[in-house]
PDB file of all heavy atoms in Angstrom:
ATOM      1  N   SER T  47     -11.297   1.732 -10.565  1.00  0.00           N
ATOM      2  CA  SER T  47     -10.553   2.663  -9.727  1.00  0.00           C
ATOM      3  C   SER T  47      -9.870   1.945  -8.581  1.00  0.00           C
ATOM      4  O   SER T  47     -10.223   0.816  -8.230  1.00  0.00           O
ATOM      5  CB  SER T  47     -11.474   3.736  -9.159  1.00  0.00           C
ATOM      6  OG  SER T  47     -12.372   3.161  -8.229  1.00  0.00           O
ATOM      7  N   TYR T  48      -8.905   2.648  -7.987  1.00  0.00           N
ATOM      8  CA  TYR T  48      -8.138   2.123  -6.874  1.00  0.00           C
ATOM      9  C   TYR T  48      -7.881   3.260  -5.898  1.00  0.00           C
ATOM     10  O   TYR T  48      -7.408   4.331  -6.285  1.00  0.00           O
ATOM     11  CB  TYR T  48      -6.813   1.562  -7.398  1.00  0.00           C
ATOM     12  CG  TYR T  48      -5.765   1.234  -6.362  1.00  0.00           C
ATOM     13  CD1 TYR T  48      -6.033   0.334  -5.347  1.00  0.00           C
ATOM     14  CD2 TYR T  48      -4.491   1.802  -6.424  1.00  0.00           C
ATOM     15  CE1 TYR T  48      -5.064   0.004  -4.415  1.00  0.00           C
ATOM     16  CE2 TYR T  48      -3.518   1.469  -5.493  1.00  0.00           C
ATOM     17  CZ  TYR T  48      -3.812   0.569  -4.493  1.00  0.00           C
ATOM     18  OH  TYR T  48      -2.846   0.234  -3.574  1.00  0.00           O
ATOM     19  N   ASN T  49      -8.226   3.044  -4.618  1.00  0.00           N
ATOM     20  CA  ASN T  49      -7.946   4.022  -3.559  1.00  0.00           C
ATOM     21  C   ASN T  49      -7.143   3.333  -2.470  1.00  0.00           C
ATOM     22  O   ASN T  49      -7.518   2.248  -2.020  1.00  0.00           O
ATOM     23  CB  ASN T  49      -9.251   4.549  -2.937  1.00  0.00           C
ATOM     24  CG  ASN T  49     -10.108   5.327  -3.907  1.00  0.00           C
ATOM     25  OD1 ASN T  49     -10.661   4.754  -4.840  1.00  0.00           O
ATOM     26  ND2 ASN T  49     -10.242   6.608  -3.670  1.00  0.00           N
ATOM     27  N   VAL T  50      -6.090   3.987  -2.052  1.00  0.00           N
ATOM     28  CA  VAL T  50      -5.343   3.465  -0.903  1.00  0.00           C
ATOM     29  C   VAL T  50      -5.206   4.532   0.185  1.00  0.00           C
ATOM     30  O   VAL T  50      -5.061   4.217   1.357  1.00  0.00           O
ATOM     31  CB  VAL T  50      -3.964   2.911  -1.323  1.00  0.00           C
ATOM     32  CG1 VAL T  50      -3.066   4.037  -1.829  1.00  0.00           C
ATOM     33  CG2 VAL T  50      -3.307   2.128  -0.222  1.00  0.00           C
ATOM     34  N   LEU T  51      -5.324   5.800  -0.219  1.00  0.00           N
ATOM     35  CA  LEU T  51      -5.316   6.907   0.733  1.00  0.00           C
ATOM     36  C   LEU T  51      -6.704   7.525   0.786  1.00  0.00           C
ATOM     37  O   LEU T  51      -7.497   7.409  -0.152  1.00  0.00           O
ATOM     38  CB  LEU T  51      -4.292   7.959   0.304  1.00  0.00           C
ATOM     39  CG  LEU T  51      -2.842   7.479   0.215  1.00  0.00           C
ATOM     40  CD1 LEU T  51      -1.955   8.600  -0.321  1.00  0.00           C
ATOM     41  CD2 LEU T  51      -2.339   7.001   1.577  1.00  0.00           C
ATOM     42  N   ASP T  52      -6.984   8.215   1.887  1.00  0.00           N
ATOM     43  CA  ASP T  52      -8.288   8.865   2.039  1.00  0.00           C
ATOM     44  C   ASP T  52      -8.477   9.933   0.974  1.00  0.00           C
ATOM     45  O   ASP T  52      -7.534  10.626   0.581  1.00  0.00           O
ATOM     46  CB  ASP T  52      -8.396   9.513   3.416  1.00  0.00           C
ATOM     47  CG  ASP T  52      -8.504   8.514   4.541  1.00  0.00           C
ATOM     48  OD1 ASP T  52      -8.667   7.308   4.250  1.00  0.00           O
ATOM     49  OD2 ASP T  52      -8.426   8.918   5.715  1.00  0.00           O
ATOM     50  N   GLY T  53      -9.721  10.084   0.547  1.00  0.00           N
ATOM     51  CA  GLY T  53     -10.017  11.151  -0.383  1.00  0.00           C
ATOM     52  C   GLY T  53     -10.709  10.659  -1.636  1.00  0.00           C
ATOM     53  O   GLY T  53     -11.123   9.500  -1.734  1.00  0.00           O
ATOM     54  N   LEU T  54     -10.824  11.559  -2.565  1.00  0.00           N
ATOM     55  CA  LEU T  54     -11.570  11.323  -3.795  1.00  0.00           C
ATOM     56  C   LEU T  54     -10.626  11.174  -4.977  1.00  0.00           C
ATOM     57  O   LEU T  54      -9.727  11.980  -5.168  1.00  0.00           O
ATOM     58  CB  LEU T  54     -12.516  12.519  -4.037  1.00  0.00           C
ATOM     59  CG  LEU T  54     -13.514  12.419  -5.174  1.00  0.00           C
ATOM     60  CD1 LEU T  54     -14.567  11.358  -4.872  1.00  0.00           C
ATOM     61  CD2 LEU T  54     -14.180  13.769  -5.420  1.00  0.00           C
ATOM     62  N   GLU T  55     -10.869  10.136  -5.761  1.00  0.00           N
ATOM     63  CA  GLU T  55     -10.130   9.941  -7.008  1.00  0.00           C
ATOM     64  C   GLU T  55     -11.129  10.089  -8.154  1.00  0.00           C
ATOM     65  O   GLU T  55     -12.147   9.403  -8.172  1.00  0.00           O
ATOM     66  CB  GLU T  55      -9.525   8.522  -7.067  1.00  0.00           C
ATOM     67  CG  GLU T  55      -8.441   8.249  -6.050  1.00  0.00           C
ATOM     68  CD  GLU T  55      -7.100   8.815  -6.473  1.00  0.00           C
ATOM     69  OE1 GLU T  55      -6.922   9.109  -7.676  1.00  0.00           O
ATOM     70  OE2 GLU T  55      -6.220   8.970  -5.592  1.00  0.00           O
ATOM     71  N   GLU T  56     -10.822  10.982  -9.084  1.00  0.00           N
ATOM     72  CA  GLU T  56     -11.758  11.216 -10.176  1.00  0.00           C
ATOM     73  C   GLU T  56     -11.185  10.753 -11.500  1.00  0.00           C
ATOM     74  O   GLU T  56     -10.034  11.024 -11.826  1.00  0.00           O
ATOM     75  CB  GLU T  56     -12.099  12.717 -10.266  1.00  0.00           C
ATOM     76  CG  GLU T  56     -12.839  13.218  -9.035  1.00  0.00           C
ATOM     77  CD  GLU T  56     -13.330  14.647  -9.177  1.00  0.00           C
ATOM     78  OE1 GLU T  56     -14.387  14.836  -9.790  1.00  0.00           O
ATOM     79  OE2 GLU T  56     -12.661  15.559  -8.673  1.00  0.00           O
ATOM     80  N   LYS T  57     -12.050  10.046 -12.258  1.00  0.00           N
ATOM     81  CA  LYS T  57     -11.630   9.561 -13.576  1.00  0.00           C
ATOM     82  C   LYS T  57     -12.803   9.728 -14.513  1.00  0.00           C
ATOM     83  O   LYS T  57     -13.653   8.856 -14.627  1.00  0.00           O
ATOM     84  CB  LYS T  57     -11.292   8.062 -13.502  1.00  0.00           C
ATOM     85  CG  LYS T  57      -9.883   7.696 -13.188  1.00  0.00           C
ATOM     86  CD  LYS T  57      -9.721   6.201 -13.409  1.00  0.00           C
ATOM     87  CE  LYS T  57      -8.346   5.738 -13.055  1.00  0.00           C
ATOM     88  NZ  LYS T  57      -8.162   4.300 -13.328  1.00  0.00           N
ATOM     89  N   GLY T  58     -12.880  10.870 -15.139  1.00  0.00           N
ATOM     90  CA  GLY T  58     -13.971  11.097 -16.072  1.00  0.00           C
ATOM     91  C   GLY T  58     -15.305  11.095 -15.368  1.00  0.00           C
ATOM     92  O   GLY T  58     -15.511  11.785 -14.377  1.00  0.00           O
ATOM     93  N   ARG T  59     -16.237  10.260 -15.837  1.00  0.00           N
ATOM     94  CA  ARG T  59     -17.569  10.227 -15.233  1.00  0.00           C
ATOM     95  C   ARG T  59     -17.595   9.448 -13.926  1.00  0.00           C
ATOM     96  O   ARG T  59     -18.586   9.476 -13.205  1.00  0.00           O
ATOM     97  CB  ARG T  59     -18.561   9.598 -16.211  1.00  0.00           C
ATOM     98  CG  ARG T  59     -18.791  10.400 -17.474  1.00  0.00           C
ATOM     99  CD  ARG T  59     -19.945   9.837 -18.306  1.00  0.00           C
ATOM    100  NE  ARG T  59     -19.723   8.482 -18.740  1.00  0.00           N
ATOM    101  CZ  ARG T  59     -20.444   7.427 -18.331  1.00  0.00           C
ATOM    102  NH1 ARG T  59     -21.424   7.585 -17.458  1.00  0.00           N
ATOM    103  NH2 ARG T  59     -20.187   6.210 -18.807  1.00  0.00           N
ATOM    104  N   PHE T  60     -16.525   8.728 -13.640  1.00  0.00           N
ATOM    105  CA  PHE T  60     -16.490   7.893 -12.435  1.00  0.00           C
ATOM    106  C   PHE T  60     -15.550   8.507 -11.394  1.00  0.00           C
ATOM    107  O   PHE T  60     -14.446   8.930 -11.718  1.00  0.00           O
ATOM    108  CB  PHE T  60     -16.000   6.486 -12.778  1.00  0.00           C
ATOM    109  CG  PHE T  60     -16.919   5.680 -13.661  1.00  0.00           C
ATOM    110  CD1 PHE T  60     -16.547   4.426 -14.096  1.00  0.00           C
ATOM    111  CD2 PHE T  60     -18.165   6.158 -14.057  1.00  0.00           C
ATOM    112  CE1 PHE T  60     -17.383   3.661 -14.915  1.00  0.00           C
ATOM    113  CE2 PHE T  60     -19.002   5.419 -14.871  1.00  0.00           C
ATOM    114  CZ  PHE T  60     -18.598   4.158 -15.294  1.00  0.00           C
TER     115      PHE T  60
END
Side-chain angles (χ1 to χ4, degrees):
Chain T
S47 68
Y48 168 58
N49 296 69
V50 66
L51 300 176
D52 290 351
L54 187 68
E55 293 280 342
E56 295 187 82
K57 270 190 183 183
R59 295 189 299 114
F60 294 176

